[in-house]
Amino acid sequence: MASEVPQAADLKPYHLSTWKEGGKGLVDERKLNTVQNPMELKWPGMNFLNPEEMVQGHILKNDSKREIRQKELSSGCVRGNATEKIFWDPQQVKVGMITAGGLCPGLNSIIRELTESLWHKYGVREIYGFQAGWNGLSDMEKFEAIVLNNDAVRSIHMDGGSILKAGRGGFDADKICSNLEKRGINMLFVIGGDGTQTAGHLLYEAARERNLKVSIVGVPKSIDNDVLFFDKTFGFDTAVASATEVIRNAWVEATSCDKGVGIVKLMGRDAGFVVQNAVIASTIVDLALIPEVKWKLEDVLQHVEQVVSRKNYAVVVVAEGAGQEHVATGKTDATGHMVYGDIGTWLRDRINEHMKPKGGRSFYIDPSYIIRSVPVKPNDHIYCTRLSCDAVHTAMRGYTGVCVGAIHNVISIVPSTLVASGKRRVKVKSSSWQLAVASANMPAAVSGLEDSDEHPSTSAKKKQKLL
């Protein structure tokens, strides 16, 4: 089965010593990487990884969901930490980094920790931040690079946003390769979502075509937590914490009047992870609607009415991408993405129409960009630090065209082309979603847990029972 799909462990095409010949399997770093890691001199007692250290992709025995696990992880993944021998001589390294796409909590933490790791662990002194995403690399005259050092990044993690001004568009692989070559930059950190990592892979291919040796390492970003393969993305925990506070505000409004319904719309264009985790964290939600589950309005209204009749209030949380079949616009934006209808205000109006004749009313809160612009929470900053340090170690080991992220809570290396090959979705059969459903005491009709053949083992068990 593993041979039928690309494997995350096949890293030979993604190391600067073997990227021309490619092939499958692990890179023989012990043979190919000959530069002594300077951390060995600075911290003589430091532990270094075995270069071939692997993280198992699938860790469960007798797995009830074996058939739907990601086959690309079947052979495992290489760990992305420090090794005793590295590819690059740090004294010859010039670094660039960008933040592309929208904002997300933790961007400044990533910038800070990349800079600090390069500066203190490897002694790199030429580090540049390019502004406005790919635009800063395509047009270096219009977008002036920012020199990054200790003074520049010391306290930036205390603020939300990005000191590099995250931006969209501007990707031109040929121009960027020429500009990297002109500036002598041989290490590039790409901080952004699946679209950014797709571009990062295209840049890797263009550099390989030119034989332009540059380590391109991605740090995936998504406030929706919809990046494939990895446990979570940075900023997600902060978004959930902020969303939970908003839900509590809605609860206060709903419980402070007769038959009140608090409604909160949260981020989640195509994936409902923020809603799912905020429901579990808050414990006060009665109905959660996510993009992965289709529902009928009459079922939603019936559940809300039943909850209000029992408790005299209800709290509803809806992801921005949920229920688009009810509010579809049929329009696309300049980037070709579908323009989504406003499910939040539509749901508010429908609930008001249903509940006001019965003496009820709703309170609608849309925190929107507030959640993505807040400063990072401490536990999220720790994750940002882990990602950044291991991104630097991965680049120093000579890898390129790859991303780093946690798999089973171990930072691992995965080719960018795999990371960018799709989006992660909430699985309605997952333990986490079922926990959220149970927490909200939601009926099957609105939770996606109606009789279904989505899970192969489920249908097999039902057939056995019938026999």
Side-chain angles (χ1 to χ4, degrees):
M1 182 65 71
S3 62
E4 297 175 5
V5 295
Q7 292 297 294
D10 291 334
L11 291 178
K12 284 185 177 179
Y14 306 103
H15 191 277
L16 292 170
S17 291
T18 55
W19 67 338
K20 298 299 282 186
E21 58 262 33
K24 295 183 178 181
L26 302 181
V27 177
D28 188 357
E29 291 186 54
R30 295 181 188 274
K31 176 182 177 181
L32 299 172
N33 290 354
T34 59
V35 178
Q36 193 69 35
N37 194 318
M39 288 192 290
E40 187 181 24
L41 296 176
K42 188 171 184 177
W43 298 297
M46 183 173 179
N47 179 72
F48 292 98
L49 292 185
N50 297 319
E52 62 275 12
E53 223 165 287
M54 302 281 288
V55 179
Q56 286 188 331
H58 305 148
I59 60 174
L60 296 179
K61 288 186 176 181
N62 306 316
D63 186 2
S64 63
K65 302 172 190 169
R66 181 175 59 85
E67 293 301 321
I68 60 174
R69 300 297 184 194
Q70 293 157 320
K71 303 301 186 291
E72 294 88 345
L73 302 184
S74 298
S75 300
C77 304
V78 174
R79 285 191 68 181
N81 208 311
T83 52
E84 188 176 353
K85 298 290 186 180
I86 56 179
F87 176 84
W88 289 104
D89 177 356
Q91 301 304 310
Q92 305 300 317
V93 168
K94 283 187 177 182
V95 177
M97 66 181 75
I98 64 166
T99 56
L103 293 184
C104 178
L107 284 171
N108 279 335
S109 290
I110 296 289
I111 296 166
R112 181 187 191 276
E113 301 310 324
L114 285 172
T115 303
E116 292 285 313
S117 185
L118 288 159
W119 191 279
H120 292 297
K121 292 182 175 72
Y122 289 98
V124 177
R125 293 296 180 263
E126 291 196 66
I127 309 170
Y128 303 96
F130 294 94
Q131 301 190 66
W134 295 111
N135 297 285
L137 286 169
S138 294
D139 192 345
M140 291 186 175
E141 293 183 1
K142 180 178 179 181
F143 300 93
E144 185 177 356
I146 297 175
V147 176
L148 298 176
N149 52 39
N150 290 327
D151 291 336
V153 304
R154 183 168 287 117
S155 60
I156 62 172
H157 62 300
M158 308 294 280
D159 297 322
S162 167
I163 64 167
L164 301 183
K165 297 178 174 59
R168 302 184 186 276
F171 180 76
D172 186 316
D174 288 334
K175 280 186 179 180
I176 292 171
C177 280
S178 296
N179 286 334
L180 292 175
E181 190 170 20
K182 188 187 303 181
R183 290 286 293 260
I185 290 172
N186 48 22
M187 194 171 288
L188 180 66
F189 295 99
V190 178
I191 309 160
D194 61 300
T196 301
Q197 303 311 328
T198 296
H201 175 72
L202 295 175
L203 185 63
Y204 146 79
E205 289 187 326
R208 184 175 61 175
E209 184 69 23
R210 292 188 181 202
N211 200 29
L212 176 64
K213 290 196 172 182
V214 53
S215 281
I216 303 167
V217 176
V219 183
K221 167 191 69 68
S222 169
I223 198 168
D224 293 344
N225 199 37
D226 58 359
V227 172
L228 284 176
F229 304 112
F230 299 130
D231 298 346
K232 64 178 179 180
T233 48
F234 71 87
F236 174 67
D237 284 348
T238 299
V240 170
S242 299
T244 301
E245 293 299 323
V246 175
I247 291 171
R248 288 173 182 164
N249 294 336
W251 176 84
V252 169
E253 293 285 358
T255 57
S256 297
C257 79
D258 190 41
K259 299 180 181 178
V261 180
I263 305 170
V264 178
K265 184 176 80 170
L266 296 175
M267 285 189 161
R269 180 178 170 84
D270 299 303
F273 290 104
V274 174
V275 168
Q276 169 190 276
N277 284 34
V279 167
I280 298 169
S282 67
T283 72
I284 52 176
V285 175
D286 301 293
L287 174 62
L289 302 174
I290 59 174
E292 294 86 347
V293 176
K294 292 190 182 298
W295 41 268
K296 296 176 182 178
L297 178 61
E298 54 264 35
D299 293 327
V300 166
L301 296 177
Q302 181 183 28
H303 178 58
V304 170
E305 183 179 347
Q306 288 175 347
V307 171
V308 171
S309 67
R310 177 167 54 87
K311 300 195 305 185
N312 202 41
Y313 73 89
V315 176
V316 178
V317 181
V318 57
E320 62 181 313
Q324 286 302 305
E325 63 272 19
H326 301 290
V327 293
T329 67
K331 300 177 183 177
T332 56
D333 62 18
T335 62
H337 291 103
M338 182 66 65
V339 175
Y340 280 8
D342 191 339
I343 187 62
T345 56
W346 182 87
L347 189 63
R348 175 202 63 194
D349 294 343
R350 302 294 83 74
I351 289 176
N352 272 337
E353 290 170 358
H354 185 75
M355 293 302 297
K356 279 188 175 182
K358 299 173 176 61
R361 59 173 298 193
S362 71
F363 301 86
Y364 177 63
I365 304 175
D366 179 3
S368 187
Y369 293 150
I370 293 174
I371 286 177
R372 75 176 198 172
S373 60
V374 297
V376 71
K377 300 290 185 182
N379 63 326
D380 228 341
H381 178 76
I382 292 171
Y383 187 50
C384 290
T385 301
R386 293 177 61 205
L387 287 171
S388 300
C389 291
D390 286 352
V392 170
H393 298 321
T394 297
M396 285 292 179
R397 288 165 64 181
Y399 287 102
T400 183
V402 298
C403 292
V404 294
I407 296 177
H408 310 311
N409 202 31
V410 180
I411 306 300
S412 307
I413 305 170
V414 177
S416 299
T417 184
L418 294 183
V419 173
S421 63
K423 287 182 181 288
R424 194 159 70 110
R425 300 283 190 270
V426 171
K427 293 182 174 65
V428 297
K429 300 294 185 182
S430 70
S431 299
S432 294
W433 175 244
Q434 293 181 169
L435 183 60
V437 170
S439 173
N441 197 23
M442 292 162 52
V446 293
S447 65
L449 297 180
E450 290 183 296
D451 198 16
S452 169
D453 288 340
E454 175 196 325
H455 195 305
S457 65
T458 302
S459 56
K461 287 175 184 175
K462 287 178 181 175
K463 286 177 183 176
Q464 276 189 329
K465 286 182 181 180
L466 290 173
L467 296 172

